[in-house]
Amino acid sequence: MNQTPPLCSFNLRRSVLSVPAINLRALEKSHSLDCDAVILDLEDSVAPEKKAEARENLRRFFAGPPLEGKERIIRINSLSSEFGAADLDLVTALLPDAVLLPKVDDPRDVTDISDLLADADVPEELRIWAMIETPRGVLNVGAIAETGRTPTSRLDCLVVGLNDLRKETGVLPQPGRSFLVPWLMQVILAVKAYGLDALDSVFNDFRDAEGFEVECGQGRAMGFAGKMLIHPAQIAAANRHFGPSADEIAEAQAIISAFADPTAEGLNVINADGRMIERLHLVQAEALVHKARLISARKPA
């Protein structure tokens, strides 16, 4: 019996740009960018004395033209902070696609927000994303991801935050992230076990295009769905690395065609051009082709 959990979402999340809610110009520019999703940030990128102004910026932004073809995620401040309650009230009023919780340490951080959203009669379509950026968060990532399997959780995506994790552990920001790879793979195992998405951490130097390309390739090889970005200059490379290549699409289509042959009916394993292909590869191929179609549909006619 196949125990692989179904994916919670088929949304594209190759490129997820973080935009400070205090920056009106950046908010307006997000309409014209080719990123898959936008995180509207009320937390780290907004100074304490600017929090209220940033919330008002988002009220005006949501009252204007919608972001076409992009998920809208509001990153709030921790509910334990003096800003968290007002941020969550804003989320319940604006109804973005998701709310991003900072520094999630254990499952209760997710379930408590889920309960508050339910108490406010917020539609279930509003999902929860969780930042994994503390040692406790990494240690508890399996239990955090498991809350995504409960009917009322809303948890949809985990986002790795390496800047805070490096700060709390003392791991240096070295190329290749060799000392961080075990923690990154813990996040991947957790989301794959419970049918969620995971986004790789930001790359801090947007001028280092070569380094960013390398890190995108590493994140894709690990199994991340996409990458959190800090600058529009990073969008094209993220879309390319985390989207299927022409060769991958052609191979997936060949697998689908092979299993569509009447001689393959009822078989779990077939021989296609000398390769043994299992039916689980068909499931992967169908998901990849679906992703390619979503990408194609986003391109202008």
Side-chain angles (χ1 to χ4, degrees), residues 84-101:
D87 288 353
L88 191 61
D89 286 343
L90 181 72
V91 167
T92 62
L94 299 184
L95 299 179
D97 297 297
V99 55
L100 176 56
L101 313 181

Side-chain angles (χ1 to χ4, degrees), residues 155-170:
L155 185 64
D156 201 41
C157 185
L158 303 185
V159 185
V160 179
L162 290 185
N163 286 333
D164 281 281
L165 195 54
R166 289 189 187 104
K167 181 183 72 174
E168 294 199 24
T169 60

Side-chain angles (χ1 to χ4, degrees), residues 2 28 33 37 42 70 82 89 121 157 170 234 266-267 295:
N2 185 1
E28 289 306 315
L33 299 176
L42 292 169
K70 301 178 181 70
E82 61 182 294
D89 286 343
D121 293 323
C157 185
Q234 298 174 323
L267 298 178
I295 294 169

Side-chain angles (χ1 to χ4, degrees), residues 29 37 67-68 72 76 80 97 109 156 205 214 274-275:
K29 186 176 180 180
L67 276 178
E68 297 290 347
R72 305 157 304 158
I76 64 173
S80 63
D97 297 297
D109 293 335
D156 201 41
D205 187 356
V214 170
R275 295 174 54 204

Side-chain angles (χ1 to χ4, degrees), residues 6 19 37 50 107 128 147 179 196 222 229-230 232 268 294:
V19 176
K50 295 287 188 177
I128 291 174
T147 66
F179 296 110
L196 309 178
M222 287 179 179
L229 312 177
I230 61 167
N268 282 332
L294 290 177

Side-chain angles (χ1 to χ4, degrees), residues 212-228:
F212 181 70
E213 294 267 358
V214 170
E215 196 164 287
C216 282
Q218 182 193 45
R220 168 73 188 280
M222 287 179 179
F224 284 98
K227 197 163 181 65
M228 185 176 174

